[in-house]
Amino acid sequence: MRVARAWSVFVCAGLAAVAAYFLLPTEGLAQAVVYMALQVAVLVVLWVAAAVYRPARPGMWRILIAAQVLYLVANVLWYLLEDPTGGAGT
């Protein structure tokens, strides 16, 4: 029962964060912060799920976690290097 409650809380918080993302102004840092927070939340959930369920062959969990880390790093770099006109930095 605790796992079902945790997942429902996570899904509701995620939906609220997605709604907040689209309600925020497109210019500025607010949307980027919410987007990164969602990515970190997914990374944490993947890590917790792999630790709790301890699969016999955890390779796929590790690949998912590594992919999420790379995705997060790529997006952080994108936001850091993006120029004020909206294009990617050089």
Side-chain angles (χ1 to χ4, degrees):
M1 189 61 157
R2 288 177 59 186
V3 172
R5 179 161 162 46
W7 279 110
S8 63
V9 167
F10 178 76
V11 168
C12 289
L15 290 173
V18 169
Y21 173 85
F22 286 110
L23 292 174
L24 292 169
T26 56
E27 299 296 323
L29 189 62
Q31 272 192 335
V33 170
V34 171
Y35 191 69
M36 296 302 143
L38 284 167
Q39 288 182 311
V40 169
V42 169
L43 181 60
V44 168
V45 167
L46 284 173
W47 182 77
V48 168
V52 168
Y53 293 112
R54 296 180 186 249
R57 296 171 57 192
M60 291 308 295
W61 284 98
R62 290 180 182 149
I63 290 171
L64 282 171
I65 291 168
Q68 187 62 31
V69 167
L70 291 174
Y71 185 59
L72 177 62
V73 168
N75 279 306
V76 167
L77 290 174
W78 172 265
Y79 282 112
L80 289 175
L81 299 176
E82 187 178 26
D83 68 21
T85 62
T90 56

